[in-house]
Amino acid sequence: MKSSPSLAILLACSFAFIIVQLDVTIVNVALPEIGRELQAGVSQLQWVVDAYTLGFAVFLLSAGAMGDRFGSRSVFLGGFALFTLASLACAMAPDALSLNLARAAQGIGAALLVPSSLSILNAVYAQDRAMLAKAIAWWTAAGGVSIAAGPVLGGLLMSAFGWRSIFWVNIPICVLGFWLTLRVVPALRHSGPARSFDLPGQVLAVIALTAFIGAVIEVHALGLTHPAVLAALLVAVAAGVLFIRVEQRSAGPMLPLQLFRLTGFTPAVLFGVFVNFAYYGVIFVLSFYLQKVRGFSVLHAGLIFLPLTGTFLFANITSGWLQARVGSRLPMIIGGLIGGSGYALLGIFGISESASFWAMLPGLALIPAGMGLAVPAMTTSILASVSKQQAGTASAVLNTARQVGGAMGVAVYGALVATPTTAAILAGIEAAMAVSTALLLGGALLAYLTIFNQGEKLCHS
């Protein structure tokens, strides 16, 4: 990067994304042990994953607006503080309900961290879009490595200290990130007029997203026609319609709807939904497959995910280099094709009662390679399409959509493997791989058809 201060700021922002992404996957290998100790079923274990995703998703829009309103640095520090306290509560949880409530609080802390960290980077590199693309690539690389390393680290910690240790490990990382932010990140406020907080919009967004994701998660356990599921879906639709009407009429909307008319914005958001739906869902079901079908130990299962780490890092760095030369469109197309190929290979050759690690390896390597190319480009495409003053809101929209996609992936794919027989689990995972392949290839096609190349803007602005 260009200078020591900007490097330190990038490091502080990366600490935030490391901890946010780590807690997406580190719990997956711990689910069977958590279930045994806390006497939780598959549905409750889905909530261990999705309570975090739910808290993350429903407060991202509010967090983006808060950053634009009160300053990214203040919101960023608040996110570190809340994540620390919530991790402490997770580590000490006496039962499944307490754990899931603490996981939801972790998700809210994550929501405060992600859009504010991107807003900080966007402000630091506002005058050099090529450097912004590289910074986002390194930021994404930090998160990509941590999300891939989560199952490995979780396996190591659980083997030595038990499942509660996967939450204790968050605390020193958060403290270090908080201290570094205080030292190097300046107070950042946009120079435009102050925005109203749009409280009706905040409340309606939280209600709509909570009801929708909750219905998706519970539809397998209760059935689509269960009164609770139907009621949640009706609440989600009603709150969503009211939210759009409020935002259309608000003088200072939390979500400026004109963002969706910007070139490349909506396609990039949809691409993000596809990526997270596939990846979060597949990581969830693979953990069950490795431990329940193959009978691997938690450490062995975690180590099998290790190939995910190296290709994430290399592909993220390559994406930043490539974007600086050709823009965001081509990395998204190539990334979608590579990721889709990885899911296809894993589904065809890597899923059986006796598949070897070497049969799984090509798919496990190609999936993060594709994501590593595509996700930084997708993020840069979003930030390049909006003004600096809207960076927090725009990144919040992207990440809200991605978290909703991730929660849906865990819920849908979790339903596919909920029947506790080997044949049913294998069939469910093969179906999940086929759906994931189609989603990533569809994302590549979407990028090809609709997302304009922003290479000239990135290289010369």
Side-chain angles (χ1 to χ4, degrees):
M1 298 291 102
K2 296 176 69 173
S3 64
S4 179
S6 61
L7 271 173
I9 292 170
L10 175 59
L11 183 61
C13 292
S14 297
F15 270 125
F17 204 38
I18 285 170
I19 201 66
V20 167
Q21 295 291 75
L22 183 66
D23 269 61
V24 170
T25 58
I26 195 171
V27 301
N28 280 284
V29 293
L31 292 176
E33 184 175 320
I34 292 173
R36 284 191 295 271
E37 181 175 329
L38 301 184
Q39 299 181 341
V42 172
S43 178
Q44 287 174 300
L45 293 177
Q46 280 182 284
W47 274 106
V48 175
V49 177
D50 274 338
Y52 178 80
T53 306
L54 179 64
F56 194 0
V58 301
F59 282 96
L60 271 166
L61 287 175
S62 298
M66 288 171 63
D68 291 342
R69 168 80 172 171
F70 302 115
S72 301
R73 181 176 183 265
S74 298
V75 174
F76 194 57
L77 289 169
F80 271 128
L82 179 56
F83 205 101
T84 302
L85 294 174
S87 296
L88 180 63
C90 287
M92 302 176 67
D95 51 45
L97 177 60
S98 300
L99 176 60
N100 289 335
L101 290 174
R103 286 283 286 168
Q106 269 191 319
I108 297 171
L112 296 175
L113 287 169
V114 171
S116 55
S117 65
L118 280 172
S119 186
I120 289 167
L121 290 179
N122 198 50
V124 170
Y125 298 101
Q127 304 306 316
D128 191 337
R129 289 288 173 176
M131 292 301 294
L132 174 63
K134 293 177 182 178
I136 290 174
W138 280 103
W139 178 85
T140 309
V145 169
S146 66
I147 199 172
V152 182
L153 180 59
L156 290 170
L157 287 171
M158 281 187 56
S159 297
F161 306 109
W163 68 265
R164 295 180 188 274
S165 62
I166 66 175
F167 298 111
W168 286 113
V169 75
N170 294 338
I171 295 174
I173 300 175
C174 287
V175 170
L176 184 57
F178 189 95
W179 172 81
L180 190 59
T181 301
L182 284 176
R183 289 289 304 271
V184 302
V185 176
L188 297 168
R189 287 180 178 270
H190 70 74
S191 56
R195 296 173 58 191
S196 62
F197 191 61
D198 186 20
L199 183 60
Q202 313 284 331
V203 172
L204 287 169
V206 169
I207 292 172
L209 289 168
T210 300
F212 177 71
I213 296 175
V216 169
I217 292 170
E218 292 297 331
V219 71
H220 174 72
L222 301 178
L224 183 60
T225 59
H226 191 279
V229 173
L230 290 175
L233 290 173
L234 287 173
V235 169
V237 171
V241 171
L242 286 173
F243 172 76
I244 292 173
R245 290 179 64 85
V246 166
E247 298 306 280
Q248 286 174 332
R249 298 179 178 183
S250 174
M254 174 185 70
L255 176 58
L257 297 179
Q258 64 267 27
L259 289 177
F260 294 96
R261 294 195 292 268
L262 298 173
T263 299
F265 187 90
T266 300
V269 169
L270 288 175
F271 192 102
V273 172
F274 295 165
V275 167
N276 275 39
F277 186 104
Y279 189 74
Y280 283 27
V282 164
I283 291 294
F284 182 85
V285 297
L286 276 180
S287 297
F288 271 80
Y289 162 73
L290 291 171
Q291 295 182 64
K292 291 186 176 294
V293 175
R294 303 302 301 276
F296 294 150
S297 69
V298 64
L299 178 57
H300 192 179
L303 290 173
I304 288 174
F305 286 104
L306 193 59
L308 294 171
T309 305
T311 48
F312 253 128
L313 179 61
F314 175 77
N316 282 149
I317 296 169
T318 301
S319 180
W321 174 86
L322 191 59
Q323 286 180 72
R325 286 157 178 78
V326 301
S328 60
R329 186 189 191 196
L330 185 60
M332 290 175 68
I333 295 171
I334 296 173
L337 294 174
I338 292 174
S341 300
Y343 287 118
L345 289 174
L346 189 58
I348 295 170
F349 300 109
I351 302 299
S352 73
E353 290 187 64
S354 58
S356 69
F357 170 75
W358 300 109
M360 300 179 68
L361 181 58
L364 290 176
L366 288 176
I367 290 168
M371 288 182 61
L373 279 175
V375 171
M378 173 187 65
T379 305
T380 304
S381 176
I382 290 287
L383 291 179
S385 66
V386 301
S387 66
K388 181 173 67 174
Q389 290 75 25
Q390 292 179 313
T393 298
S395 61
V397 172
L398 172 63
N399 284 286
T400 298
R402 291 183 65 190
Q403 294 310 310
V404 171
M408 291 176 64
V410 171
V412 172
Y413 290 0
L416 293 176
V417 300
T419 303
T421 65
T422 296
I425 292 174
L426 289 174
I429 295 177
E430 289 171 0
M433 295 302 172
V435 172
S436 296
T437 301
L439 287 173
L440 269 290
L441 296 181
L445 180 62
L446 186 66
Y448 175 76
L449 292 176
T450 62
I451 297 176
F452 292 174
N453 193 331
Q454 298 183 34
E456 183 175 348
K457 181 176 181 180
L458 286 172
C459 293
H460 301 298
S461 63

